[in-house]
Amino acid sequence: MEKIDARPRVRVPRTAAPDEVVQIRTMATHPMENGHRLDRDGSTVPRHIIHRFTCTFNGETVIDMEVGPSVSANPFIEFDARVPESGTFAFAWHDDNGDVYEATADITVS
Amino acid sequence: MELTRRRTLALGAAALTVTLLPIPASAAVDAQELVERYTGGVNPGEGPLQLTAPAVAENGSAVAIEVACPGARSIRILAPANPTPDVCAVHFGPLAGEERLSTRIRMADTMDLIALAEMDDGSFVQATARVSVTVGGCR
């Protein structure tokens, strides 16, 4: 499977109050080839998607998501996280081709 | 065989039944089977699960949807008329602030979208939303 420049992007607030619930928005660039599409010659384009997305904060799970071929290209995922202390969010997008696209974001609790 | 008026009418009625019946019937069975695959045969109840989707989606390749369910362990989204009905499943960890997810999905056709939440006590809750799709987004 071809390499993809997924350019993972995340939007996380820089600061939060203790135990505040913050909104997180993420997006990656990916065709999410669903395996049902036909190319110009009439043959099926093989499936090639991001099949899993995870978000952790200081090593603890926020969400763990199974992603199927029915999720749109350039998958957009928005969710909420509780922030008990200052630390780092880590995001991972798992590609069918074995690549894992990663991003991090720091947040300060005061 | 002689083609009488009675026979013609009967034939027409039979043809109509064959054309009309199987499609909605089989689709309904599929949706139920799909849900039961995850609930282990149990019929899901009603609860605080909310599925927000547009009534009309002009472009089936990106339909913005949101699910939220306080007290859910996980929420699964099913699009029964899609070639791959399992859209996604989100599992909430200890730091999930609220059990909520917003994303964009593909929809092949007009259908009843299903959200299925597994609650902390192991029970299941289901919500559906009718979405009319103008141009399908799976090809």
Side-chain angles (χ1 to χ4, degrees):
Chain A
M1 271 178 263
E2 58 177 317
K3 288 275 172 197
I4 285 172
D5 177 18
R7 294 187 293 122
R9 278 95 77 198
V10 297
R11 185 184 283 180
V12 178
R14 291 221 176 87
T15 59
D19 276 326
E20 188 181 334
V21 173
V22 298
Q23 190 186 76
I24 295 177
R25 314 177 87 180
T26 73
M27 198 164 173
T29 301
H30 199 285
M32 296 293 282
E33 200 56 73
N34 63 15
H36 302 293
R37 229 163 46 86
L38 303 178
D39 64 14
R40 216 173 284 167
D41 311 324
S43 47
T44 311
V45 182
R47 172 187 136 145
H48 183 186
I49 66 168
I50 288 167
H51 60 267
R52 186 178 176 212
F53 169 78
T54 61
C55 170
T56 60
F57 180 73
N58 290 349
E60 231 184 325
T61 303
V62 179
I63 67 164
D64 188 339
M65 185 173 167
E66 303 163 35
V67 182
S70 292
V71 170
S72 300
N74 304 329
F76 163 83
I77 301 167
E78 182 193 291
F79 54 95
D80 299 313
R82 187 169 59 80
V83 190
E85 75 237 338
S86 296
T88 306
F89 283 101
F91 306 87
W93 291 256
H94 298 253
D95 192 302
D96 277 349
N97 68 9
D99 286 345
V100 180
Y101 315 116
E102 290 173 318
T104 58
D106 295 328
I107 190 165
T108 308
V109 166
S110 55
Chain B
M1 193 172 85
E2 210 180 332
L3 206 61
T4 63
R5 182 181 133 90
R6 182 172 295 175
R7 280 215 179 104
T8 313
L9 280 176
L11 204 68
L16 198 68
T17 315
V18 168
T19 331
L20 290 182
L21 258 184
I23 296 150
S26 68
V29 166
D30 283 350
Q32 175 134 14
E33 270 176 16
L34 208 58
V35 167
E36 286 181 354
R37 199 186 299 167
Y38 296 106
T39 62
V42 182
N43 257 348
E46 285 185 17
L49 173 61
Q50 273 202 319
L51 168 61
T52 313
V56 177
E58 282 172 17
N59 178 6
S61 65
V63 183
I65 62 152
E66 181 171 289
V67 286
C69 187
R73 194 187 289 171
S74 68
I75 305 177
R76 191 173 288 278
I77 298 166
L78 301 167
N82 274 13
T84 315
D86 290 270
V87 178
C88 63
V90 56
H91 306 275
F92 299 104
L95 288 185
E98 273 160 32
E99 288 74 14
R100 185 182 75 87
L101 179 84
S102 187
T103 187
R104 290 200 273 262
I105 68 166
R106 294 177 169 133
M107 293 185 73
D109 209 341
T110 295
M111 70 178 93
D112 290 319
L113 206 58
I114 300 173
L116 185 65
E118 184 177 5
M119 307 304 286
D120 279 330
D121 63 7
S123 67
F124 288 91
V125 171
Q126 183 183 331
T128 59
R130 183 76 173 172
V131 181
S132 295
V133 177
T134 313
V135 179
C138 289
R139 297 281 152 186

